């Protein structure tokens, strides 16, 4: 059976489920707004909104994607997952459909965050904003696929605390809050070794209207490699019998 | 329809849930799968439905090799798991439509099939509700709808009627028998209800400690023992009705297994089924089928 069709069907099903969870969307939108309103003005004294908003996007995206595996544990417990596994649908379709559905929440959050950013003083060109959004979404989908797969094979009680702890240093080192150009040399050096730094800087370039830069190229490459690798590993884990 | 040879599953950690199963189920048969808690029924079913990879043995299901062509197997089978698969939050009607479409049906065809299946199971009025707003028995009937909506040629049912009221059970039996008679559906179902095994199944397979310890028609298994429960007691040394019940003083297990079997934390609270309980080891032994090893 057609994997793309199956992925679309499962995605649509999950989108409907996500859109019904109004509280999740409302609070998901509220969170970045709080950062904009209460942290933005502070940041604006040393930097620009074009630097801040990409950082907030990355932060929202990374945390949501990292923790997106929490939901699949419920599907596993209720037997829904096992029921779907007996159908001829491809494992990749079952995993990706779920991930794409839940990524919609993050996309909605991101769009609203950017719109609010404009109200606060963000002045970024639309093509750059769309490109940055696309980059972040791709990364989010990859990470969420990995998160979903890992959640199935990990102790469910340990999953959320471990993952949210693991995401913190990655977000801090990416320079999402404060650009790494302000960091001491050793911290800057470590940060260059982490993948998200490159993605965040690429999005900042895109928001600044600089499209043809090495920074953008590096960010796109890192995102693409990371997304493909995460989906591949995620599918492998997900396809294992005990997952 | 099902042919297995030496099928076995040892879980990580060394639990030999299924030691060796040789099984033949012919097309159009309704075969009952009996055995005490922890005997390996669910594990066997999960292997036969491609959810667990066997650690040994081979199986051909509906013409497809279980290990090399699981996708082919999945297209032909339906499975109702012991725990069910109705999610808590999405309207069940939506879930079942997705389920049907994953078998390749177009939107219109799926909608029609879903409507027909729900109608026959008396579930139409409940389809708009999320699973969490259904009673246990209603959910169980939806589980059956999931297993049937794509018209499989082979249906696996793991304790399908546990939790159903007598009328729903009778309806379900009628439904299954009709599908067999009219469409030639093959059914492999596990159950703890001896009356269910007796009325519904053409043939019974009894499993204990991960191996088949007896098989035959209900009449053959009953033999001289009178009731299936006596026969069961003779074969497994345990009553099917409740684990440990057979260990009643004065009625030492007449079966071959002295050991209490693998521990299980899921003692089923099975209401009384079947006929009278003459728990005489001697009489039970007279049922002597393909006793034990
Ligand atoms: N994932 C698992 N890991 C380890 N052991 C398992 C696992 N699943 C089942 N078992 C063990 O395998 C044995 C067989 O279990 P199974 O679920 O197949 O029994 P069953 O015949 O279906 O019992 P019941 O009538 O209670 O449903 C039991 O001892 C059980 O504890
Ligand atoms: Mg079972």
């Amino acid at each position: 059976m057609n994997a793309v069709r199956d992925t679309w069907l499962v995605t649509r099903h999950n989108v409907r489920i996500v859109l019904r969870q109004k509280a999740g969307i409302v609070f998901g939108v509220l969170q970045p707004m709080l950062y904009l309103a209460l942290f933005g003005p502070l940041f604006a004294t040393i930097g620009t909104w074009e630097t801040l908003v990409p950082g907030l996007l990355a932060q929202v995206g990374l945390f949501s994607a990292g923790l997106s595996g929490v939901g699949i544990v419920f599907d596993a417990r209720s037997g829904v997952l096992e029921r779907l596994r007996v159908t001829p649908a491809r494992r990749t379709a079952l995993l990706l459909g779920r991930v794409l559905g839940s990524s919609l929440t993050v996309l909605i959050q991101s769009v609203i965050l950017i719109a609010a950013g404009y109200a606060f003083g963000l002045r970024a060109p639309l093509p750059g904003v769309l490109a940055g959004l696309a980059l972040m979404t791709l990364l989010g989908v990859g990470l969420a696929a990995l998160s979903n797969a890992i959640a199935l094979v990990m102790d469910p009680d340990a999953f959320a605390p471990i993952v949210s702890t693991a995401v913190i240093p990655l977000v801090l080192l990416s320079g999402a809050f404060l650009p790494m150009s302000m960091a001491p040399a050793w911290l800057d050096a470590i940060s260059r070794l982490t993948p998200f730094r490159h993605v965040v800087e690429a999005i900042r370039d895109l928001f600044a209207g600089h499209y043809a830069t090495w920074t953008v190229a590096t960010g796109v490459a890192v995102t693409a490699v990371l997304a493909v690798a995460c989906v591949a590993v995620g599918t492998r884990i997900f396809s294992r019998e005990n997952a | 329809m099902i042919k297995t040879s030496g099928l076995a599953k040892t879980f990580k950690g060394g639990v030999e849930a299924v030691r060796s199963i040789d099984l033949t189920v012919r097309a159009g048969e309704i075969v009952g799968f009996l055995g005490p808690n922890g005997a390996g029924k669910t594990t066997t079913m999960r292997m036969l439905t491609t959810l667990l990879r066997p650690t040994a043995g081979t199986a051909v299901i509906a013409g497809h090799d279980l290990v090399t062509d699981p996708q082919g197997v999945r297209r032909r089978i339906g499975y109702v798991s012991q725990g069910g698969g109705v999610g808590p939050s999405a309207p069940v009607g939506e879930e079942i439509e997705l389920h049907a479409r994953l078998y390749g049906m177009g939107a219109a065809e799926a909608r029609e099939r879903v409507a027909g299946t729900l109608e026959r199971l008396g579930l139409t009025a409940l389809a708009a509700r999320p699973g969490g707003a259904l009673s246990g028995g209603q959910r169980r009937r939806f589980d059956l709808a999931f297993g049937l909506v794509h018209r499989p040629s082979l249906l696996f049912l793991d304790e399908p009627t546990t939790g159903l009221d007598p009328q729903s059970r009778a309806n379900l039996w009628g439904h299954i028998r009709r599908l067999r008679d009219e469409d030639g559906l093959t059914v492999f179902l596990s159950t703890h209800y001896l009356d269910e095994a007796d009325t519904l199944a053409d043939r019974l397979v009894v499993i204990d400690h991960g191996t088949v310890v007896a098989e035959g028609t209900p009449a053959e298994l009953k033999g001289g023992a009178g009731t299936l429960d006596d026969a069961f007691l003779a074969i497994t040394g345990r009553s099917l009705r409740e684990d440990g019940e057979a260990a009643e003083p004065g009625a030492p297990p007449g079966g071959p297994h002295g050991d209490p079997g693998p521990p299980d934390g899921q003692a089923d609270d099975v209401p009384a089924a079947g006929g009278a309980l003459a728990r005489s080891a001697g009489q039970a032994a007279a049922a002597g089928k393909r006793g034990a090893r």
Side-chain angles (χ1 to χ4, degrees), chain A residues 138-209:
Chain A
L138 185 61
L139 183 68
V141 167
L143 292 175
L146 190 63
S147 165
N148 274 262
I150 290 177
L152 284 178
V153 290
M154 224 172 112
D155 170 14
D157 296 323
F159 178 78
I162 289 182
V163 169
S164 50
T165 307
V167 173
I168 289 173
L170 289 172
V171 170
L172 288 176
L173 287 173
S174 75
F177 289 106
L178 292 175
M180 277 295 150
S181 51
M182 301 167 69
W186 63 269
L187 192 61
D188 185 44
I190 297 179
S191 144
R192 278 179 201 286
L193 298 176
T194 67
F196 304 134
R197 151 115 193 222
H198 303 286
V199 183
V200 170
E201 295 207 329
I203 300 177
R204 284 188 173 137
D205 258 21
L206 291 169
F207 269 55

Side-chain angles (χ1 to χ4, degrees), chain B:
Chain B
M1 206 36 100
I2 303 178
K3 181 129 188 65
T4 77
S5 158
L7 206 62
K9 179 74 196 181
T10 304
F11 284 107
K12 285 195 202 84
V15 181
E16 293 184 338
V18 173
R19 285 161 209 260
S20 177
I21 300 265
D22 299 314
L23 200 67
T24 306
V25 175
R26 286 178 292 276
E29 255 190 323
I30 299 180
V31 172
F33 196 33
L34 306 177
N37 288 142
K41 300 181 296 297
T42 298
T43 307
T44 304
M45 290 230 188
R46 296 187 69 224
M47 283 194 280
L48 297 178
T49 53
T50 76
L51 288 168
L52 280 181
R53 196 163 299 139
T55 36
T58 57
V60 177
I61 314 283
H64 299 268
D65 187 278
L66 184 63
V67 176
T68 59
D69 184 17
Q71 203 63 8
V73 174
R74 288 183 195 125
R75 267 191 273 276
R76 302 282 310 278
I77 64 168
Y79 173 47
V80 174
S81 69
Q82 184 169 1
V86 178
S89 51
V92 202
E94 270 179 31
E95 287 213 53
I96 194 167
E97 212 167 296
L98 169 70
H99 194 85
R101 295 210 60 191
L102 291 179
Y103 284 89
M105 288 177 224
E109 189 188 4
R111 219 168 295 129
E112 196 179 309
R113 283 277 184 86
V114 169
T117 308
L118 295 185
E119 177 78 49
R120 254 173 283 132
L121 291 168
L123 293 169
T124 310
L126 300 173
R129 290 202 203 163
L134 296 170
S135 81
Q138 290 166 341
R139 265 202 299 278
R140 202 63 187 139
R141 275 148 63 205
F142 270 108
D143 284 330
L144 199 81
F146 280 115
L148 283 172
V149 69
H150 57 289
R151 295 209 192 123
S153 42
L154 169 61
L155 182 61
F156 291 91
L157 302 171
D158 199 351
E159 301 190 24
T161 62
T162 300
L164 292 191
D165 62 47
Q167 183 174 357
S168 301
R169 286 176 74 207
N171 285 348
L172 199 105
W173 295 352
H175 193 58
I176 290 172
R177 211 178 288 111
R178 205 159 42 244
L179 285 170
R180 192 272 299 272
D181 294 343
E182 290 169 10
D183 306 343
L185 177 71
T186 310
V187 181
F188 187 67
L189 90 157
S190 78
T191 180
H192 286 291
Y193 298 110
L194 293 173
D195 57 341
E196 182 163 290
D198 206 354
T199 4
L200 192 56
D202 305 317
R203 216 152 52 76
L204 301 176
V205 173
V206 183
I207 175 180
D208 197 11
H209 301 288
T211 53
V212 175
V213 292
E215 58 180 302
T217 64
E220 278 168 8
L221 284 190
K222 276 186 251 179
T227 69
L228 263 184
D229 202 38
D230 297 335
F232 192 84
L233 185 64
I235 293 159
T236 65
R238 282 181 276 174
S239 168
L240 189 55
R241 302 166 94 200
E242 228 176 281
D243 257 16
E245 199 184 339
E248 218 175 10
H257 298 291
D259 61 304
D264 73 278
Q266 35 167 319
D268 277 0
D269 184 16
V270 179
L277 263 180
R279 218 180 253 104
S280 141
Q283 188 193 352
K289 281 298 116 187
R290 194 177 126 201
R293 2 217 132 138

